Amino acid sequence: MVRRTRRATIYDVAEAAGVSKSLVSLVLRDSPHVSEARRTAVLEAIERLDYRPSQAAAALAGGSSRTVGVVIDDYTNLWFVELLRGLQDGLTSAGLRIAVSDRTLNSHIESDPLDGFLSTRVEALVLATEPTASMRIPPNMPVVVAGNRETEIPGADLAASDDRLGGRLATEHLIGLGHRHIAHVAGGGGASAQRLDGYLGAMRDAGLAPVVVTPSRATTEETGYAGTMTLLEAHPGTTAVFASNDSMAMGALAAARDRGLEVPADLSVIGYDASPLAATHLMQLTTIDSLNREIGAEVATALLSRLTEPGREPVATRLIPQLVERSTTAAPRRRL
Amino acid sequence: MVRRTRRATIYDVAEAAGVSKSLVSLVLRDSPHVSEARRTAVLEAIERLDYRPSQAAAALAGGSSRTVGVVIDDYTNLWFVELLRGLQDGLTSAGLRIAVSDRTLNSHIESDPLDGFLSTRVEALVLATEPTASMRIPPNMPVVVAGNRETEIPGADLAASDDRLGGRLATEHLIGLGHRHIAHVAGGGGASAQRLDGYLGAMRDAGLAPVVVTPSRATTEETGYAGTMTLLEAHPGTTAVFASNDSMAMGALAAARDRGLEVPADLSVIGYDASPLAATHLMQLTTIDSLNREIGAEVATALLSRLTEPGREPVATRLIPQLVERSTTAAPRRRL
């Protein structure tokens, strides 16, 4: 659960420092007409209360940044590209634009990845990453969570696709091709957990024995490679791998090659996300389209309605994912 | 050449609308104590002068966003990831963070991709993209250009690697392996132009005939695929391809496979950028390391010194790129 905390105002700073609001303004403007003692008191109060002057600036000018901040997990996982496209398309009519922050990139500068956006006065936040307890979201900031997450944010809207259904679709595609030895390479996070659930449900319904490897919470090419290598070592009879996302599937393709297996004849591989990577000529990856562009459009719709009607109840939208068949899945080669 | 234009101030708006500065403030604060006629006059002046109230807000509060805006070309080309890491590392000590805008993503909302950052009051700009004439950069905004570009921005610092030398390194690597039929798949932009130059120089010095295909200004997997297919059709004797970046090299690998050529035995492929893609298990791409992380560090150094000393002369830093040998290049197979 993520706590929303009220941001300190210029009045809080004035009260804490025992000075007037005008004097706080003078300090903020770096005016020479302030004694050192009072300047020190004000600066200490600012630090203690974590007061961010730009928010006061916004209030003063009544201006608007017309910018929506989007926090993503990892630039190298391209699933977010279509999300941003859909989001930008949906926000254009309202004259809003987006700025993106990569959470892993900014993680060592401070505990709260939102700080940068908040001090630059974004009008709303889109979290395309797992929320954490360290995120301090101002009470009146419109927030939409994109994708299924482990943690809920009170008052936030959600736009995602049904990852449980998608995990089932991926598995049933492989079962339908005739595979019986289907393994899942899983990762961490809310979306991965639901995809795993979908896999387990489909395997159970087909009377097949599930094999799951979870090399790490990370869902990268590296973990996909490591997980598939482990899997093929322990279960050499595996004929199909469902990887939790396209980056991991890229690693699974490399593992198959390094084990001397031909894809799809010896090993079928299916990913998830329909990221730009999956569509490359090199990969031509069968995957599940989580409709990220449409999720982006839903996020935009939720944001615009939230900006118009701040008090409305939060809504959760879940889209129906779709199978995209490309070249990495086929019927298993008949064993002699 | 990119013009820097002075931003309109609240005083310009007041003068243009024939009202006082205080009345402009009232309109900005959406005060009810303004007649409709005067409100209309002020709003028209704001639009005509392209006045951005948040800059006034910043001036009013003396606050600081502590954020550097980075404009990149295309999220799907991962060359910028290491640049951002180096930049973030270098800015951490100064308590600065980064926000990223993708230029193609925001291109349909407005002509100036910087608008979003300027209205959110970033403290400095990093352009990791070709500057265009439509970019209106405020006169006092610190700007560092990352990477070699076609257009110069007056007063901006530059941090790049020597792409001409890198193009030469790539070509000489292939020549050193024994290749004589080495083609280059080129793209548009300042970096690509220099890489092409380096290729041409190395081929000339070795007495070899250059073969260049330029499928498009775009430098994507798709154009790399298309260019390499065209090349292998027209010049089936080609034994090595130097692609202008790693995305294009990914397309070249796919084209080789689709033409039934084994990499590296039948066709060597070298990319450029040492992007995260090149290091994947699936690609294991030989490439030229343009030292993007170090460029990011140089960008940070230039920004911090520019913020300390706004009046200093602009500096250009060019780093020496390095060959990264992986699995996609080898001596040509002996023709019988």
Side-chain angles (χ1 to χ4, degrees):
Chain A
M1 191 66 103
V2 175
R3 283 251 317 285
R4 289 181 178 239
T5 53
R6 188 177 74 87
R7 289 272 171 198
T9 67
I10 195 167
Y11 298 98
D12 298 329
V13 174
E15 197 187 330
V19 302
S20 68
K21 166 176 166 285
S22 310
L23 196 124
V24 176
S25 289
L26 286 176
V27 172
L28 290 173
R29 265 178 273 163
D30 207 23
S31 161
H33 309 295
V34 182
S35 73
E36 262 319 301
R38 294 171 107 194
R39 181 189 307 279
T40 304
V42 168
L43 292 176
E44 277 174 1
I46 284 174
E47 182 154 353
R48 197 166 66 248
L49 298 174
D50 192 26
Y51 170 64
R52 295 175 198 178
S54 59
Q55 295 189 300
L60 274 169
S64 144
S65 73
R66 309 306 287 157
T67 300
V68 172
V70 184
V71 184
I72 64 169
D73 259 317
D74 173 11
Y75 279 117
T76 66
N77 180 345
L78 296 173
W79 79 273
F80 67 88
V81 175
E82 288 298 308
L83 177 85
L84 292 184
R85 278 192 226 285
L87 179 59
Q88 187 63 85
D89 286 346
L91 295 178
T92 297
S93 59
L96 288 161
R97 56 185 82 76
I98 56 185
V100 179
S101 183
D102 176 303
R103 180 210 195 128
T104 53
L105 208 57
N106 280 297
S107 62
H108 59 306
I109 197 173
E110 58 215 352
S111 58
D112 187 346
L114 309 182
D115 271 7
F117 284 140
L118 298 184
S119 65
T120 52
R121 307 192 298 102
V122 296
E123 305 216 347
L125 283 172
V126 176
L127 297 184
T129 181
E130 292 291 337
T132 58
S134 67
M135 288 184 182
R136 291 162 305 173
I137 302 169
N140 297 319
M141 173 70 72
V143 177
V144 183
V145 175
N148 290 303
R149 305 296 165 195
E150 287 172 339
T151 312
E152 198 185 316
I153 294 187
D157 299 305
L158 173 77
S161 69
D162 186 335
D163 286 307
R164 198 170 278 109
L165 176 57
R168 174 173 284 274
L169 281 176
T171 313
E172 288 180 347
H173 166 63
L174 297 169
I175 295 170
L177 287 168
H179 292 276
R180 317 298 289 163
H181 302 282
I182 303 167
H184 179 52
V185 185
S192 289
Q194 292 196 11
R195 292 168 192 181
L196 168 61
D197 261 10
Y199 162 80
L200 293 173
M203 292 295 279
R204 190 180 50 236
D205 291 354
L208 298 174
V211 174
V212 178
V213 287
T214 309
S216 159
R217 275 188 63 84
T219 53
T220 61
E221 206 253 355
E222 178 62 40
T223 63
Y225 180 82
T228 308
M229 289 302 273
T230 304
L231 170 76
L232 294 174
E233 183 70 37
H235 303 271
T238 304
T239 63
V241 171
F242 163 34
S244 196
N245 70 14
D246 292 342
S247 298
M248 297 184 82
M250 188 183 194
L253 293 177
R257 181 202 57 203
D258 289 356
R259 295 272 307 184
L261 299 175
E262 205 182 307
V263 174
D266 299 317
L267 188 74
S268 283
V269 175
I270 183 168
Y272 203 115
D273 281 341
S275 82
L277 207 57
T280 56
H281 292 274
L282 189 64
M283 286 185 63
Q284 282 295 302
L285 182 71
T286 298
T287 186
I288 301 294
D289 189 348
S290 35
L291 304 181
N292 289 317
R293 190 163 197 149
E294 289 76 3
I295 291 176
E298 294 290 340
V299 169
T301 303
L303 279 180
L304 296 177
S305 94
R306 172 71 55 192
L307 288 167
T308 316
E309 196 191 342
R312 71 158 168 75
E313 285 294 301
V315 293
T317 308
R318 280 210 175 72
L319 304 176
I320 307 298
Q322 284 162 13
L323 176 70
V324 180
E325 273 194 80
R326 293 204 183 95
S327 309
T328 56
T329 51
R333 186 176 287 191
R334 194 175 296 274
R335 315 240 154 178
L336 299 175
Chain B
M1 191 64 103
V2 174
R3 283 252 316 287
R4 292 185 176 234
T5 53
R6 188 176 75 86
R7 290 272 171 196
T9 67
I10 195 167
Y11 298 97
D12 298 328
V13 174
E15 197 186 331
V19 302
S20 68
K21 168 178 165 282
S22 310
L23 195 124
V24 176
S25 289
L26 286 175
V27 172
L28 290 173
R29 264 179 275 162
D30 207 24
S31 161
H33 309 296
V34 182
S35 72
E36 262 317 301
R38 294 171 106 191
R39 181 189 309 277
T40 306
V42 168
L43 293 175
E44 278 174 0
I46 285 173
E47 181 154 356
R48 197 165 67 247
L49 299 174
D50 191 27
Y51 170 65
R52 294 174 199 180
S54 59
Q55 295 189 302
L60 273 169
S64 144
S65 72
R66 306 308 286 160
T67 299
V68 172
V70 184
V71 185
I72 64 169
D73 260 317
D74 174 9
Y75 279 116
T76 65
N77 180 345
L78 295 174
W79 79 272
F80 67 89
V81 174
E82 288 298 308
L83 178 85
L84 292 184
R85 278 192 225 283
L87 180 59
Q88 186 64 82
D89 285 347
L91 295 178
T92 297
S93 59
L96 289 161
R97 56 185 79 79
I98 56 185
V100 179
S101 182
D102 176 304
R103 183 214 193 120
T104 53
L105 207 58
N106 280 297
S107 63
H108 59 306
I109 197 173
E110 59 216 349
S111 58
D112 188 345
L114 309 183
D115 271 8
F117 284 141
L118 299 185
S119 65
T120 51
R121 305 190 299 100
V122 296
E123 304 216 348
L125 282 173
V126 176
L127 298 184
T129 181
E130 292 291 337
T132 58
S134 66
M135 287 185 181
R136 291 162 305 171
I137 302 169
N140 297 321
M141 173 69 73
V143 177
V144 182
V145 175
N148 291 301
R149 305 297 166 193
E150 286 171 338
T151 312
E152 197 184 317
I153 294 186
D157 299 305
L158 173 77
S161 69
D162 186 337
D163 285 307
R164 197 170 278 109
L165 176 58
R168 175 173 283 275
L169 282 178
T171 312
E172 289 180 346
H173 167 62
L174 297 169
I175 294 170
L177 287 169
H179 292 275
R180 317 299 290 162
H181 301 282
I182 303 166
H184 180 51
V185 185
S192 288
Q194 292 195 13
R195 292 168 192 180
L196 168 61
D197 262 11
Y199 162 80
L200 292 173
M203 293 296 277
R204 191 181 49 236
D205 292 352
L208 299 174
V211 174
V212 178
V213 287
T214 309
S216 157
R217 275 188 63 81
T219 52
T220 61
E221 205 252 356
E222 177 62 41
T223 63
Y225 181 81
T228 308
M229 288 302 271
T230 304
L231 170 78
L232 295 174
E233 182 72 35
H235 303 272
T238 304
T239 63
V241 171
F242 164 32
S244 196
N245 69 15
D246 292 342
S247 297
M248 297 183 81
M250 188 185 195
L253 293 178
R257 181 201 58 203
D258 288 357
R259 295 271 308 185
L261 300 175
E262 205 181 307
V263 173
D266 299 317
L267 189 74
S268 283
V269 175
I270 184 168
Y272 203 114
D273 282 340
S275 81
L277 206 56
T280 55
H281 292 273
L282 189 63
M283 287 186 62
Q284 282 297 303
L285 181 71
T286 298
T287 186
I288 301 294
D289 189 348
S290 35
L291 304 180
N292 289 317
R293 189 161 198 152
E294 289 77 2
I295 292 176
E298 294 290 341
V299 169
T301 302
L303 280 180
L304 295 178
S305 94
R306 171 71 57 192
L307 288 167
T308 317
E309 197 189 342
R312 72 160 168 73
E313 285 295 301
V315 292
T317 308
R318 281 209 175 71
L319 304 175
I320 307 298
Q322 283 163 13
L323 176 69
V324 181
E325 274 194 79
R326 293 204 184 94
S327 309
T328 58
T329 51
R333 185 175 287 191
R334 194 174 294 274
R335 314 242 156 181
L336 300 175

